[in-house]
Amino acid sequence: MSININNDYSLNNKQANREERHERVGVAATATFTFTTKPNEESHITLTDHAGTSKTFEIDNDNDGAGVGKVAVNGIAAAGGGATGTAADLVTKINAQSGFKITATNPSDGVVLLTQDSVGPDGNRAISVDNGVHWNSTTSVNVPSTFSGGSDTRIATVAPFRVAVNGA
């Protein structure tokens, strides 16, 4: 018995563009600071995520309302007060922001660790405070002016190919 293949059979692995053939690996930008006490009422910090979205968080422990467009950090006393409560409530408020691509953690008392949700240098964004001298007097590690360490590398994961057989 013999088999005769007369059609041209092709197997293609073409991608739409060069970017789709590469995987993005790297490091997400981070920022860390440690509170030693609660900042003054109405003082604020502004964070920008890798996509360019900014959010301003205002210390509002007396819960009299944050300024327009600001997120109230108003659960400080309920979270333990002072440095511990400030860090814990700031972390909670950051993580509660819909569409904001920064993840905050509180690895130990008073510590705020911010991590961009995407790897790459786009995460090396600005951090600003309304009064640097005041904010830095309330932290043992000064609030950094930017996220840092964001980097990426593109590595080829798929090489385009075509295999064709014409005939047996």
Side-chain angles (χ1 to χ4, degrees):
M1 174 180 214
S2 66
I3 298 175
N4 188 2
I5 301 175
N6 292 322
N7 295 325
D8 183 13
Y9 293 93
S10 296
L11 175 62
N12 289 303
N13 181 21
K14 292 188 274 184
Q15 298 290 329
N17 63 49
R18 185 175 174 270
E19 286 296 311
E20 291 180 11
R21 294 190 306 260
H22 291 78
E23 179 180 353
R24 185 175 180 179
V25 297
V27 178
T30 62
T32 304
F33 53 94
T34 304
F35 287 106
T36 55
T37 190
K38 178 186 88 58
N40 291 338
E41 289 293 305
E42 299 180 9
S43 54
H44 56 268
I45 183 169
T46 302
L47 307 173
T48 305
D49 69 17
H50 66 88
T53 301
S54 293
K55 298 277 183 178
T56 300
F57 300 88
E58 181 180 308
I59 304 301
D60 185 29
N61 197 43
D62 59 14
N63 205 21
D64 63 353
V68 175
K70 296 177 182 165
V71 177
V73 180
N74 56 2
I76 295 168
T84 300
T86 302
D89 195 43
L90 179 60
V91 164
T92 298
K93 296 305 183 338
I94 292 168
N95 292 334
Q97 300 307 300
S98 177
F100 195 48
K101 297 173 177 24
I102 294 174
T103 299
T105 58
N106 182 216
S108 59
D109 286 349
V111 176
V112 176
L113 171 59
L114 306 169
T115 305
Q116 295 282 356
D117 289 351
S118 179
V119 301
D122 289 347
N124 295 330
R125 297 289 185 140
I127 298 172
S128 64
V129 293
D130 62 327
N131 181 335
V133 172
H134 169 67
W135 273 82
N136 291 336
S137 74
T138 66
T139 59
S140 64
V141 175
N142 291 349
V143 176
S145 61
T146 62
F147 284 82
S148 64
S151 64
D152 70 358
T153 304
R154 296 202 188 276
I155 57 173
T157 56
V158 177
F161 63 87
R162 177 181 170 162
V163 177
V165 176
N166 189 4

